[in-house]
Amino acid sequence: MKSSIAIILITLITLASCKEKQEQKEAPQPFTLSDSMQRLIRIDTVSYCNISDELSLSGEVSFNENNLVRIFPRSSGQVTDTRVSVGDKVSKGQVLAVIRSADVAGNYSDLSSAKADVSIAKRQLDNAEALYKNGISSEREYTEAKQTYEKALAGREKVQATISINGGGRTNANGEYVLTSPIDGYVVEKKTATGAFIRPDMGDNLFTISDLKNVWIYANVYETDIAKVREGFEVKVVPAAYPDKAYTGKIDKTGQVLDPQSKTMRIRVVLENTDMLLKPDMFTKVIVSNNEGQKAICIPTAALVSQDGKTYVVVYNGKSDIKIAQVTVLKTVNDRTYISEGVQPGTKLITSYQNLIFNQLMNE
C-alpha cells in the first residue's frame, strides 16, 4: 500500500515538473533590438520648450531702397542711343544712354559768346592799364575796365558750370550728353528707348540701378493676425520660383497704419541675396515664427506613429526595454510637435524605423 502511494506521489511530482518546464519554455521573451537595428535607429529626447506659432503670408520681392539709384535726364532732348537693357550688369561710370539736347547746344553757344566777351574785356583792360600807367586815362576808367573783365570771367564760368551740371561733364558742342551709372549694379528698370523724346516737363527717371546684394520682402498682415508679428521675429521666405529653397531673415519693420481698402498692415523683411536668385516683383511665401507663446512638452515630429486615428511614440529605455506610449497632440510646427500628455521631458524616443518597431511590439 505504501509503495503504491509513493509511486503516485512521484508521478504527480514528475508531471508538475514537466508542466512547469513546458510553461517556462512557452513564456514569451521581451522584445530586444538586434545589434544591426541598434546601429540604424536614431534617438531623441523629449523636452519642454516654447510653443512656436507660425503665420503664413504672401509676399513680394522689392528693391532695397537704400541701395538704389534712379537716374533722371539732365536736360530735355532726344535719346540717340541706349546701350543697356533690363537685367544687364553695369559698372560705375558705364554709359547707359546718349542724349542730344538743344539746351546743351545752346549752352555751348552761350559759352562761345562768353569767351568772346572775355577776350574783348581783356583787350580793353590791357589798353586801359597802358593808358593809365602813361597818365593818359584816369584811374576810374582803368577800374571800370577791370570790373568789366571780371564780370566777363564770371559769365564764362557760369556757363561752364551750367554745361557741367546739365551734361555731367561728358558733353560736346553738338549738344550731346551721356548718362552714366553712378554705382556697380544691375539695370532693374528702363523707361526709355532710342528715338524717345524727353520733354522739359517730364519728371520721370529713365533708369534704375540696384546692386541687388540684399533685397526687401514686403508682406501684408490681416488685422486679426497683427498681434502675431513683431519686429525681430524670425521669418522663412520661400520664393514661388524656387519652392525647394528657403531664405531666413527677420522682420525689419512693421507698418504703423492699415491699408484702408484691404485692412492689412505691411511688414518688411531684409534678405541677403548672395546667389542673386531673388528678383524684384517675384512672389514669395513668408512664414513668420513666434516663439514667445506658452510652453509645452515638445517632441520630434519624426517620432510620431499614427494608427486608427490615434498617435503614438516608441519609448526607448534600453535595447530590451522598449514600450509604446499614446500621446495627445496640441499642434505640429515643422520638425517639432507639441503634446499635452503621454510622455515626460527627459524621455528618450526612437525617431527612425519607429514604425517597424511599433508594428513588432503591437503583434506580440
Side-chain angles (χ1 to χ4, degrees):
M1 183 69 178
K2 291 182 179 179
S3 62
S4 298
I5 293 172
I7 292 172
I8 292 171
L9 288 174
I10 293 172
T11 302
L12 290 173
I13 292 171
T14 302
L15 291 173
S17 176
C18 290
K19 184 177 181 181
E20 183 179 353
K21 288 182 179 179
Q22 185 177 3
E23 288 178 351
Q24 289 178 353
K25 185 176 180 181
E26 293 177 354
Q29 297 296 322
F31 176 79
T32 301
L33 283 179
S34 65
D35 292 338
S36 58
M37 182 62 76
Q38 180 78 17
R39 289 191 294 268
L40 289 174
I41 65 170
R42 289 198 298 271
I43 298 172
D44 206 337
T45 305
V46 179
S47 58
Y48 194 64
C49 53
N50 290 326
I51 297 178
S52 178
D53 191 11
E54 284 194 348
L55 178 65
S56 184
L57 307 171
S58 296
E60 187 176 359
V61 181
S62 184
F63 310 113
N64 183 338
E65 297 289 343
N66 296 328
N67 297 328
L68 184 71
V69 178
R70 291 184 173 87
I71 300 171
F72 295 83
R74 296 186 178 90
S75 300
S76 60
Q78 184 179 19
V79 179
T80 59
D81 188 17
T82 55
R83 301 185 182 179
V84 294
S85 300
V86 173
D88 287 354
K89 185 177 181 180
V90 295
S91 303
K92 183 178 180 179
Q94 182 175 334
V95 176
L96 305 177
V98 180
I99 300 171
R100 190 169 187 181
S101 171
D103 293 338
V104 174
N107 290 336
Y108 271 95
S109 177
D110 294 341
L111 179 61
S112 297
S113 299
K115 287 180 177 179
D117 291 342
V118 170
S119 298
I120 294 170
K122 183 66 170 66
R123 286 197 300 270
Q124 290 175 347
L125 175 61
D126 291 341
N127 291 334
E129 184 179 7
L131 293 173
Y132 172 68
K133 287 181 178 180
N134 291 324
I136 300 173
S137 64
S138 65
E139 183 179 357
R140 182 179 62 82
E141 292 174 329
Y142 170 65
T143 302
E144 289 177 352
K146 188 175 181 180
Q147 290 175 346
T148 301
Y149 175 68
E150 290 175 352
K151 288 181 180 179
L153 288 177
R156 185 185 67 182
E157 291 174 359
K158 179 180 179 181
V159 175
Q160 287 176 334
T162 301
I163 292 175
S164 178
I165 293 171
N166 288 344
R170 301 186 64 174
T171 60
N172 58 45
N174 292 327
E176 288 185 340
Y177 72 91
V178 297
L179 292 179
T180 59
S181 175
I183 61 171
D184 296 334
Y186 294 85
V187 180
V188 296
E189 193 175 37
K190 178 183 177 183
K191 297 182 179 179
T192 190
T194 301
F197 285 92
I198 302 170
R199 301 189 310 272
D201 60 342
M202 185 166 67
D204 207 1
N205 62 301
L206 301 185
F207 299 94
T208 301
I209 309 295
S210 175
D211 62 11
L212 294 181
K213 292 179 181 177
N214 56 61
V215 294
W216 287 351
I217 311 296
Y218 285 109
N220 291 325
V221 183
Y222 286 103
E223 187 176 356
T224 53
D225 295 323
I226 288 178
K228 298 179 182 179
V229 299
R230 193 180 304 167
E231 290 184 11
F233 279 8
E234 293 186 355
V235 299
K236 182 170 66 176
V237 178
V238 181
Y242 311 103
D244 57 341
K245 190 172 183 62
Y247 296 82
T248 57
K250 292 184 178 181
I251 296 178
D252 176 66
K253 188 176 182 180
T254 58
Q256 300 302 316
V257 295
L258 299 184
D259 184 278
Q261 302 297 325
S262 61
K263 297 297 182 182
T264 58
M265 181 184 74
R266 204 180 194 194
I267 64 170
R268 185 181 75 189
V269 179
V270 179
L271 286 185
E272 294 297 323
N273 189 26
T274 53
D275 51 12
M276 305 305 290
L277 293 179
L278 296 175
K279 315 294 184 186
D281 297 324
M282 272 186 172
F283 290 106
T284 66
K285 181 167 68 173
V286 179
I287 303 172
V288 182
S289 297
N290 176 8
N291 296 319
E292 295 187 347
Q294 298 177 348
K295 287 191 172 184
I297 299 172
C298 57
I299 64 175
T301 302
L304 299 178
V305 179
S306 298
Q307 183 169 325
D308 299 330
K310 298 178 180 180
T311 305
Y312 303 89
V313 292
V314 179
V315 178
Y316 179 89
N317 297 315
K319 63 184 298 183
S320 298
D321 187 3
I322 300 175
K323 301 176 181 178
I324 295 173
Q326 184 179 347
V327 295
T328 302
V329 175
L330 294 175
K331 66 183 301 184
T332 297
V333 180
N334 295 328
D335 59 348
R336 285 285 164 184
T337 294
Y338 303 91
I339 63 173
S340 59
E341 58 182 0
V343 291
Q344 296 300 317
T347 305
K348 294 182 178 180
L349 305 179
I350 298 177
T351 60
S352 62
Y353 297 98
Q354 73 275 12
N355 287 285
L356 178 62
I357 298 171
F358 175 84
N359 291 331
Q360 288 268 24
L361 293 172
M362 291 294 289
N363 292 331
E364 288 189 353

